[in-house]
């Protein structure tokens, strides 16, 4: 299950971590965000140690929202070795996310 991160946890885990991190900027009241949750869980299960999925609640982590200029939920950002390499906004197809993960493993 995706770990929910705050600002300090984000810096430590995502920016300071090695490998791929898929960050889900979401809101609890966002219907499209809820539609993405099972897709993200499937990706996390499929890729195991090759991908870590983490969540950032945009209602509580406004500093991260501002820092990464998140303007809509869901916003999915793919980080590799602490650097953002891809960003998608809105509901995404699982196959499209798999493609960008495969290209960056």
């Amino acid at each position: 299950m995706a770990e929910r991160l705050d600002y300090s946890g984000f810096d430590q885990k995502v920016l300071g971590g090695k490998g791929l991190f898929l960050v889900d900027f979401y809101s609890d009241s966002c219907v499209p965000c809820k539609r993405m949750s099972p897709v993200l869980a499937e990706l996390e299960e499929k890729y195991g140690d090759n991908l870590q999925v983490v969540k950032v609640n945009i209602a509580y982590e406004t500093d991260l929202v501002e820092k990464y200029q998140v303007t809509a939920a869901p916003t999915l950002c793919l980080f590799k070795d602490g650097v953002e390499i891809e960003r998608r906004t809105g509901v995404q197809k699982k196959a499209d996310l798999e493609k960008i993960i495969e290209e960056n493993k």
Side-chain angles (χ1 to χ4, degrees):
M1 181 172 197
E3 179 180 0
R4 184 171 162 213
L5 298 179
D6 60 10
Y7 197 98
S8 63
F10 186 91
D11 279 355
Q12 183 179 32
K13 188 163 195 126
V14 177
L15 300 183
K18 294 290 181 200
L20 285 179
F21 289 83
L22 184 58
V23 180
D24 176 22
F25 288 91
Y26 77 102
S27 169
D28 289 326
S29 61
C30 167
V31 173
C33 298
K34 291 176 183 178
R35 288 180 50 205
M36 286 304 304
S37 284
V39 172
L40 298 177
E42 289 172 17
L43 292 173
E44 190 173 35
E45 186 176 319
K46 177 178 179 174
Y47 289 100
D49 293 338
N50 294 316
L51 175 72
Q52 292 188 51
V53 177
V54 296
K55 297 176 93 48
V56 174
N57 189 316
I58 62 172
Y60 300 108
E61 303 305 329
T62 54
D63 289 341
L64 282 171
V65 169
E66 287 179 25
K67 180 177 180 179
Y68 289 97
Q69 300 175 342
V70 174
T71 58
T75 294
L76 301 171
C77 299
L78 187 66
F79 285 78
K80 184 174 185 177
D81 299 332
V83 177
E84 183 180 345
I85 57 173
E86 183 78 33
R87 180 181 290 225
R88 302 285 175 101
T89 303
V91 174
Q92 300 295 309
K93 294 179 182 175
K94 182 180 171 187
D96 292 341
L97 294 174
E98 288 172 331
K99 182 179 178 191
I100 64 167
I101 292 165
E102 289 293 334
E103 290 171 351
N104 292 288
K105 283 199 305 188

